[in-house]
Amino acid sequence: MTKRVVVDPVTRIEGHLRVEAMLDDTNHIQDAMSSGTMWRGIEVILQGRDPRDAWAFTERICGVCTTVHALASVRAVENALGIQVPPNADVIRNIMFLTQYIQDHVIHFYHLHALDWVDVVSALKADPAATSALAQKVSPKWPLASPGYFADVAGTVKKFVESGQLGIFQNAYWGHPAYKLPPEANLMAVAHYLEALKWQKEIIKIHTVFGGKNPHPNYLVGGVPSAIAMQSDNAINMERLNLIGGLIPQAINIVENLYLPDLLAVASFYPEWTKIGGGLGNYMSYGDLPQNGIGDIAKFRIPRGIILNKNLAEVLPVDLADPAQIQEEIAHSWYQYPGGQSALHPYDGVTEPRYTGPQPPYQELDETKAYSWLKSPRWKGNAMEVGPLSRMLVGFASGRTDYKEVVTEALGQLKVGPEALFSTLGRTAARGLETQLCANWLEAEFDQLVSNLKNGDSTTADTRSWSPETWKSESKGYGFSEAPRGSLCHWVHIKDQKIANYQIVVPSTWNASPRDAKGQHGAYESALLGTPMADPKRPLEILRTIHSFDPCLACASHVIGPHGEKLAEIIVR
Amino acid sequence: MTACMGLESTMVPRVVAAMETKPRIPVLWLHGLECTCCSESFIRSSHPITQDVVFNMISLDYDDTLQAAAGEQCEEIRDKIMKDYKGRYLLAVEGNAPTKDGGVYCTVGGRSFLDILKETAEGAKAIVAWGSCAANGCVQNAHPNPTGAEPIKRIISHKPIINVPGCPPIAEVMTGVLTYMLTFDQLPELDRNGRPKMFYGQRIHDKCYRRPFFDAGQYVEAWDDDGARKGWCLYKMGCRGPTTYNSCSTVKWNNGVSFPIGSGHPCMGCSEENFWDNGPFYQRLSSIPVPGIDSTPDTVGKTLVTLTGIGVAAHLGSYWIRRATRKELPGSATSATEKPAEKEKP
């Protein structure tokens, strides 16, 4: 007989997600449902507004992946208005992009995902001296590894537990049979949870320098808002550059000597998770980090492409402008399309919310009906996975040396082949390997900025098309990005200086989507199939796989305007 | 921390003692319709650092962004704290509740967030409304507010509510409000909008380091122009500093690194009610001269930006009178961004 396990809320994510899993007699997941349970309507709100303001509204779609929607939005408006931003603007945007990736990925590993693998209570049994020895073996270059340091951390944990107030650690899955780390590894991970928490607020200061604040730094259509003037004490100058220059080596140190060694150490205790959680086997990346303007896709640091059915021998092209490629389906979503249409390209998107689920409070959803506020985007009818694993696979399969190097080295250390990447652990490892690339790219982009300044170029904005009076009466454009969680695109239609329509297809919508009309699962659902659960009442295994995607539901559960207009064609530069 | 709260350094031992001797107050931190920027800001706090707040000062018993337990185990905690600490726990709310269609636009554990919010508020000692979503409604509450999203103060009426607006609020403001309550065992003094006066008592403009440029009539006229490179006043680019009550120009962001104006972008007024509908953002504030330039939040901050706009205009008018040598109001010179003031919802 089938058992149904409900996990709602799925915690340690952004937003509101519900997962229902159907288990067979041996407690293996037979079927699964992923339901987004929030909806805010940002695109409806955008209609009629000044397109130069859209970045600020869309940035508020998510404060965890803050900046990603702002970036996609300014790119969409610039695409529509025919603005080419100055090279410094691209470089500064890349610096902010990479800062976001590094901070976000590190937080995800330590603060959102680690507790799926690390048993905090077990850390109480650790011997500080043995933990010190382990830490020095795992990462010889990380300085905070003395027995005294770990004794101190152990003391903090002990005091906390003995207070009887366990706060965020209470009623969790400590002692669950699926936890495999020895006490010393658990103590080391707890110490590093705290170190990473202290550090993440430092690297993000790069956003504050250029954007004035974080979360939600400021962006600008046509460039970046922060002027550069080396002879001014009231603009980006030597002091500001030095601030950034000091933070980058810290980031590289954290990634190379804390995050990656911890990731590989934890992974080595969970070899079975290289065979669980693979899911769809279809991977997509739009590409990002322009080196010669957003139009020169071939020069992106993050390559664009599609891999189908785990076939690393072939990378297929993806075209955001082709209406036949990306379509959103609503067969199992709480929306309706006019005239009974089943799938629409975002440019043609018309979505009207129509809640047909059970009135709350409810016990379970019905997988044969609509069950989510997320739609089901598909590429040529295929369900796709997006995110770090997709990008690493596209980079690897495209033959990029930098990608191949980090992937090959990590696989070698774990003594597994490339097939291990198609798994929950592969997804988690890919995020760490990507962060390693990003830390080095961050340094390179910063060097590029300094080099531009040395060559006399300090321009940060192109204001020729700033004034709405200069705009055509009607224009359309799209702006894409690879957000930390995957492929993101905004589509904008500007008419009479106002937003006529605005549409967004978000990474977590790809990953967390419900079934489509053909019954194809979304990436989360597919990845859960076949997973064995040791104790269905304590759904640790479900959390592992879902967290490996780094869900962001505020992003995913967007809506396209109820009065969306059909747009004839996309402008591609 | 004490510096942040404006206390002398001799206060430090007292604060530390207060923190260490009390049992930690249970905090239930709910998430409604939001983007989690408030939580992200909270963990950026430099003084005190987040680790100290979460593990030494409060007992963060429910917070679905950070807590280890999920699903049933997570909801059990909320039930237990509501029962065991009735009247003694703090409710922190990030985001707000959709009120349309029976609350189906945000559900947690199969229940509407609206119900959960009301239920959890019932036994709370006080409510902290984090950020503009909880305090004012913020982006999902902007016109036409498709989900009927409403801030906490319009849903809960019988509990003390401390509004800590901003999108997000500054990290040290968040931890400053919390630690003030823990240290002095009392609510902070609030203005008529329920905001702590210690952080929202004065306009950004009045404390802005670019204010002398405003007074001297030196403005950024276009992005990356000479004025932008010299860091002149951003009033003409749409700055809302003159109508925004917040600590950005004093506490600043991310341990004092900068704030929006300091990095060349106008203040958007994100801690003010209805700021999303007070746009477009790059259009300068209207100028209707009336008396009362030194208006306080209590006299002009009546949530309607048209009114606060009057304060700015009056301020400018006064400036103009003082500088009788000029023929025009500052900002009345034509620029590409300038448009007649209009107040309409899109």
Side-chain angles (χ1 to χ4, degrees), chain B residues 20-325:
Chain B
E20 285 186 347
T21 50
K22 288 180 195 168
R24 290 173 288 128
I25 184 169
V27 175
L28 302 180
W29 186 314
L30 301 184
H31 296 255
L33 289 183
E34 44 91 309
C35 78
T36 315
C37 72
C38 298
S39 288
E40 285 284 345
S41 187
F42 185 75
I43 66 170
R44 310 282 192 269
S45 179
S46 290
H47 45 274
I49 61 169
T50 320
Q51 176 184 335
D52 285 342
V53 180
V54 172
F55 298 114
N56 300 331
M57 296 178 188
I58 61 171
S59 187
L60 187 55
D61 292 314
Y62 183 102
D63 175 359
D64 41 329
T65 303
L66 288 174
Q67 73 189 105
E72 264 175 47
Q73 287 80 19
C74 165
E75 293 307 291
E76 280 169 12
I77 298 169
R78 198 173 57 86
D79 292 343
K80 183 172 161 44
I81 298 292
M82 285 194 299
K83 190 162 142 269
D84 294 355
Y85 291 87
K86 192 172 181 191
R88 290 182 291 142
Y89 61 86
L90 195 63
L91 169 60
V93 187
E94 181 171 354
N96 53 31
T99 58
K100 271 188 194 165
D101 303 325
V104 297
Y105 301 109
C106 186
T107 63
V108 178
R111 297 185 58 196
S112 79
F113 178 72
L114 185 62
D115 273 358
I116 291 171
L117 173 65
K118 287 178 182 167
E119 179 185 88
T120 317
E122 198 54 42
K125 187 176 181 178
I127 300 172
V128 181
W130 287 137
S132 291
C133 287
N136 298 330
C138 207
V139 67
Q140 58 271 10
N141 170 264
H143 182 78
N145 190 1
T147 62
E150 295 296 341
I152 309 313
K153 64 188 175 191
R154 296 210 192 106
I155 295 168
I156 308 293
S157 55
H158 57 290
K159 293 282 171 182
I161 298 176
I162 302 116
N163 286 319
V164 187
C167 188
I170 298 169
E172 288 78 15
V173 165
M174 298 177 80
T175 53
V177 168
L178 268 187
T179 48
Y180 176 87
M181 292 194 286
L182 298 176
T183 306
F184 295 95
D185 208 13
Q186 62 186 23
L187 300 183
E189 206 178 320
L190 305 176
D191 70 6
R192 59 178 289 153
N193 293 322
R195 303 178 291 194
K197 286 183 177 173
M198 63 179 78
F199 294 116
Y200 298 89
Q202 293 174 312
R203 291 177 292 205
I204 285 175
H205 179 66
D206 295 336
K207 305 166 287 183
C208 183
Y209 80 107
R210 296 193 181 195
R211 172 65 181 274
F213 296 116
F214 175 87
D215 290 340
Q218 291 171 305
Y219 301 102
V220 176
E221 304 277 352
W223 305 112
D224 201 24
D225 70 357
D226 190 48
R229 292 175 178 213
K230 286 176 175 156
W232 286 354
C233 177
L234 287 157
Y235 169 71
K236 284 190 178 182
M237 306 309 281
C239 189
R240 301 297 193 261
T243 55
T244 303
Y245 292 82
N246 204 339
S247 305
C248 300
S249 49
T250 44
V251 176
K252 297 188 181 171
W253 283 81
N254 307 100
N255 204 19
V257 168
S258 187
F259 71 115
I261 297 165
S263 291
H265 193 280
C267 164
M268 294 197 298
C270 74
S271 54
E272 292 300 314
E273 195 133 1
N274 295 337
F275 81 100
W276 292 107
D277 290 333
N278 177 30
F281 293 129
Y282 299 103
Q283 179 179 294
R284 71 187 175 90
L285 289 165
S286 59
S287 46
I288 311 162
V290 294
I293 64 165
D294 290 325
S295 308
T296 67
D298 288 349
T299 56
V300 297
K302 292 176 79 176
T303 75
L304 286 175
V305 178
T306 39
L307 284 183
T308 50
I310 290 168
V312 185
H315 175 34
L316 275 170
S318 163
Y319 155 80
W320 180 70
I321 293 161
R322 291 198 312 275
R323 300 267 310 230
T325 52

Side-chain angles (χ1 to χ4, degrees), chain A residues 133-151:
Chain A
L134 172 71
Q136 290 180 49
K137 193 176 150 213
V138 166
S139 181
K141 288 186 187 166
W142 183 254
L144 292 170
S146 69
Y149 168 78
F150 285 110

